[in-house]
Amino acid sequence: MAIFGSAGRMGQAIVLAIERALADHAGGIDIGGDAGALAAISDVIVDFSSPLALGAHLTAAREARTPIVIGTTGLDAAHHALIDEVASEIAVIQAANTSLGINLLAALIEQATARLGPDWDIEVLEMHHRYKVDAPSGTALLLGAAAANGRGKSLPELSRFDRDGPRDEGSIGFASLRGGSVAGDHMVILATEGERIELGHRAEDRGIFARGAVKAALWLADKPPGRYTMADVLGL
């Protein structure tokens, strides 16, 4: 198992997770490393690098025919189009969050919103450390997309990031908080007249993302070409 983005905090956590899973660590690269050479000697790659490096990393994985788990966040439409293209040749998992708990939570949210009507308002609340750049977080968007899927809609159709005045019926609102050293808190609130459901997850250690990524990589290593999800890893 190789790590692209090995010098970062997540890269270091993945090294420990690989050891605990009794898997073999093929090595890691960071800025300036030879992605092609490492991909060629690996059975599977875990990428927690940066959006700027992802294109080169996908090319290296495709040329080596090596499956890849992408945990890098902040991706745009062009990145996703490239992932779709590469997934026609190798197995790929792209996840905004590799925590097993978060991905189970997303499934629960989709089930809940599929059974509740538009009179149930949906709010997604997230908090992260003061240094996080993107807002809302990729995980908040993942949970919002799960809520939208439950209603048979896409997230762009229902999402509201800036509001003034009363909410639109059926919309999905987002709120982002930043401060301290919070690894990641997420809550989806379903509220209607007289009652409220709160479905949430609290990350206490970044190791949960590393363990989920390693579990996903072990699952993906022998899969045929295609674009897979963490829900596939969990059998959801």
Side-chain angles (χ1 to χ4, degrees), residues 194-209:
E195 57 183 323
R196 183 170 69 245
I197 300 170
E198 298 177 352
L199 300 169
H201 178 274
R202 179 168 295 172
E204 299 178 353
D205 187 309
R206 286 184 179 84
I208 66 172
F209 310 119

Side-chain angles (χ1 to χ4, degrees), residues 145-168:
N149 288 341
R151 292 202 164 158
K153 300 283 187 179
S154 68
L155 184 57
E157 291 179 276
L158 301 182
S159 57
R160 301 292 184 273
F161 301 108
D162 296 299
R163 286 187 309 222
D164 185 15
R167 61 177 296 122
D168 300 325

